[in-house]
Amino acid sequence: HQGPGGGFRDVTDSSSAEGTNPTAAALALLSLSGPGEGDLVERAVTFLARMQRADGGFAASPDAPVADLLSTFTALVSLTAFNAVGAVKLGAVGRFVRTLSLPAGGFGAHLGDPTADVEYTYYGIGTLALLARQVAVSCPKNRPCACDQSS
């Protein structure tokens, strides 16, 4: 199901678009079978990195009009699992997720979504937890850290 852009499709029909979420699912399956096939994984990771938008979130597909929290969460889970978070701007991911946090609590699905949703709140909390873990692993206490930069 891997397409020419490195991402995976939901179905084998070549007219279906490569997507962030099918790519994350494929990478999860590959991780269950061991270290994975190098080129296959490398192309998928490169595809996921290209799905990061200017607002810091990840889009569901190359032609998706906006980034969304589900795609951001699944991309970050996969990039974390394959030690490839260096391919994206983590600070921008954090800012994107914080903009989706609603004043009354919870998270919306995408920028401009005024309604908190249990599912997207899970993705928001999960994404923030992955980011916090990455900072804890990458930035020893009392030392300068690349995470402090404006990336």
Side-chain angles (χ1 to χ4, degrees):
H1 292 231
Q2 191 170 37
F8 285 79
R9 299 179 175 111
D10 284 330
V11 295
T12 55
D13 178 3
S14 64
S15 68
S16 79
E18 298 170 45
T20 298
N21 299 315
T23 301
L27 286 172
L29 287 172
L30 287 170
S31 73
L32 293 174
S33 63
E37 299 177 36
D39 185 54
L40 191 80
V41 170
E42 186 176 319
R43 291 179 60 227
V45 164
T46 299
F47 172 82
L48 288 177
R50 284 195 317 265
M51 292 298 98
Q52 188 172 26
R53 298 296 188 245
D55 62 13
F58 290 77
S61 68
D63 58 346
V66 296
D68 66 86
L69 198 46
L70 167 61
S71 299
T72 300
F73 175 70
T74 60
L76 194 57
V77 166
S78 295
L79 293 168
T80 300
F82 284 90
N83 297 315
V85 293
V88 299
K89 296 176 181 172
L90 293 178
V93 174
R95 287 187 292 280
F96 173 75
V97 174
R98 284 194 309 267
T99 64
L100 299 179
S101 175
L102 300 173
F107 290 81
H110 53 80
L111 293 175
D113 182 2
T115 307
D117 178 277
V118 171
E119 177 185 0
Y120 286 94
T121 298
Y122 170 83
Y123 301 138
I125 292 169
T127 303
L128 291 175
L130 287 168
L131 289 170
R133 178 184 175 274
Q134 189 60 40
V135 169
V137 167
S138 301
C139 302
K141 292 184 183 206
N142 302 320
R143 290 193 159 168
C145 178
C147 299
D148 296 331
Q149 304 304 314
S150 62
S151 63

